[in-house]
């Protein structure tokens, strides 16, 4: 059940060029958020920018009653957000949306492209803390080395982390889908495909490529769809995508979907 509340910024740091991490105090969201959910952040009390910004929940700490958000400065709203000071308050609505489904699979492969890696840390930590011991692989991709998100923290949660960069400045040169093919052919192997779930978040073209691969290999796959959102609560219809059972709202019927549910378009 989402709530709207004004919560204090505990930490706010730049982690890469144009990328920031916010730590926000909230007993409610830290206790109730599930991996893959997001919050809507009101950037300003003025009319401009008017709309809240949807940001994935990156991590939570029930012990510290706080949660983390990652974001990239891409416009006026996030530029203003980057100037928010520690100790000030943000108007937050959340947690929102459908989370990743944690199933009985023995192998979990988490694939994140760019800022799409943000919600996967909470997922990795939740899987690791779960009752069933899983093999957890994480594939992180970005344009350059400096844009790889929180590699060391992912390494604490996963059995193995593999990096891909578009420019080859770190890890493998290429796309996360290339790394995934390699992992599926040489590490996980077909014997384990029926016991594997792939969780992916990133640009549409990346998700489409991963979905196609999982269809070929008959591996379960959940994707977190990125879409522009206005209301974030299912009322404006501004975030619909085409699925096999009609149009669905990414904000409250997603953002996580079974990859088989999506009508993938080029
Ligand atoms: Fe308004 Fe989804 S953002 S319905």
């Amino acid at each position: 059940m989402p709530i709207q509340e004004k919560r204090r910024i505990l930490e706010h740091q730049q982690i890469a060029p144009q990328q920031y991490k916010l730590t926000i105090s909230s007993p409610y969201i830290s206790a109730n958020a599930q991996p893959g959910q997001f919050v809507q952040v009101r950037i300003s009390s003025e009319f401009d920018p008017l709309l809240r910004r949807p940001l994935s929940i990156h991590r939570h700490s029930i012990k510290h009653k706080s949660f983390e958000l990652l974001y990239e400065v891409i416009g006026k709203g996030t530029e203003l957000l980057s100037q928010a000071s520690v100790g000030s308050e943000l108007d937050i609505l959340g947690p929102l949306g459908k989370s990743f489904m944690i199933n009985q699979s023995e192998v979990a492969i988490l694939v994140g492209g760019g800022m799409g890696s943000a919600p996967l840390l909470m997922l990795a930590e939740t899987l690791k803390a779960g009752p069933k011991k899983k093999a957890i692989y994480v594939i992180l991709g970005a344009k350059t080395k400096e844009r790889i998100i929180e590699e060391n923290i992912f390494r604490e949660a996963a059995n193995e982390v593999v990096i891909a960069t578009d420019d080859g400045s770190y890890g493998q040169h290429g796309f996360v889908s290339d790394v995934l093919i390699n992992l599926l052919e040489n590490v996980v192997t077909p014997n384990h495909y029926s016991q594997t779930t792939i969780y992916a978040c990133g640009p549409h073209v990346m998700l489409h490529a991963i979905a196609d691969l999982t269809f070929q290999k008959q591996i379960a796959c959940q994707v977190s769809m990125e879409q522009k959102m206005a209301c974030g609560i299912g009322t404006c219809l501004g975030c619909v995508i085409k699925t096999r059972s009609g149009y669905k709202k990414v904000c409250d019927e997603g953002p996580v979907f079974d990859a088989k549910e999506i009508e993938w378009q080029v």
Side-chain angles (χ1 to χ4, degrees):
M1 178 76 182
I3 61 166
Q4 182 184 351
E5 54 179 3
K6 285 199 172 166
R7 303 305 313 184
R8 200 164 298 284
I9 298 174
L10 301 176
E11 289 177 42
H12 194 184
Q13 56 182 135
Q14 186 165 9
I15 58 169
Q18 305 298 101
Q19 292 179 353
Y20 292 80
K21 178 160 74 172
L22 267 170
T23 307
I24 297 170
S25 161
S26 172
Y28 183 82
I29 293 177
S30 62
N32 289 285
Q34 300 295 321
Q37 288 191 299
F38 65 98
V39 294
Q40 287 274 75
V41 180
R42 181 145 192 213
I43 308 285
S44 160
S45 53
E46 309 296 321
F47 282 112
D48 184 26
L50 181 63
L51 299 176
R52 292 172 180 269
R53 294 294 186 277
L55 297 176
S56 298
I57 298 171
H58 175 53
R59 209 176 184 198
H60 71 147
S61 168
I62 296 173
K63 182 175 163 198
H64 295 107
K65 299 181 171 57
S66 65
F67 66 97
E68 294 176 4
L69 303 172
L70 295 189
Y71 67 94
E72 186 161 27
V73 174
I74 50 171
K76 184 174 178 182
T78 42
E79 178 69 50
L80 271 175
L81 184 59
S82 72
Q83 294 158 18
S85 51
V86 170
S88 63
E89 287 187 330
L90 284 175
D91 186 325
I92 307 275
L93 176 64
L96 294 162
K98 291 226 163 55
S99 63
F100 289 106
M101 291 285 295
I102 293 180
N103 57 24
Q104 297 300 310
S105 296
E106 291 166 3
V107 180
I109 304 176
L110 283 54
V111 189
M115 292 305 286
S117 303
L120 300 182
L121 182 58
M122 183 173 171
L123 176 63
E125 291 182 332
T126 304
L127 289 168
K128 189 179 181 193
K132 187 165 180 179
K133 190 156 173 51
K134 293 174 188 274
I136 303 170
Y137 299 93
V138 173
I139 303 172
L140 300 175
K143 288 194 175 105
T144 62
K145 176 182 180 180
E146 60 197 358
R147 289 179 175 270
I148 293 293
I149 287 171
E150 309 254 83
E151 177 189 349
N152 290 337
I153 306 176
F154 271 106
R155 287 197 185 280
E156 288 169 19
N159 296 68
E160 189 173 341
V161 176
V162 189
I163 307 291
T165 50
D166 295 359
D167 67 352
S169 55
Y170 188 47
Q172 295 187 32
H173 187 183
F175 300 127
V176 288
S177 48
D178 302 325
V179 175
L180 180 60
I181 291 169
N182 191 29
L183 187 72
L184 291 173
E185 287 177 355
N186 299 308
V187 180
V188 175
T189 69
N191 289 348
H192 298 98
Y193 288 176
S194 64
Q195 274 305 312
T196 298
T197 298
I198 293 172
Y199 303 89
C201 185
H204 187 92
V205 64
M206 174 201 121
L207 297 182
H208 190 174
I210 289 171
D212 280 348
L213 186 63
T214 61
F215 300 155
Q216 287 162 25
K217 297 190 182 293
Q218 299 188 315
I219 299 174
C221 179
Q222 298 175 30
V223 290
S224 178
M225 303 298 287
E226 291 184 346
Q227 190 77 329
K228 284 209 164 76
M229 292 182 192
C231 71
I233 52 171
T235 56
C236 75
L237 304 182
C239 64
V240 293
I241 55 165
K242 205 169 177 187
T243 74
R244 294 188 189 278
S245 46
Y247 285 96
K248 288 200 171 173
K249 293 169 281 183
V250 169
C251 67
D252 76 345
E253 295 171 279
V256 177
F257 294 88
D258 188 312
K260 290 201 283 294
E261 222 188 310
I262 308 292
E263 284 280 2
W264 295 99
Q265 290 156 345
V266 182

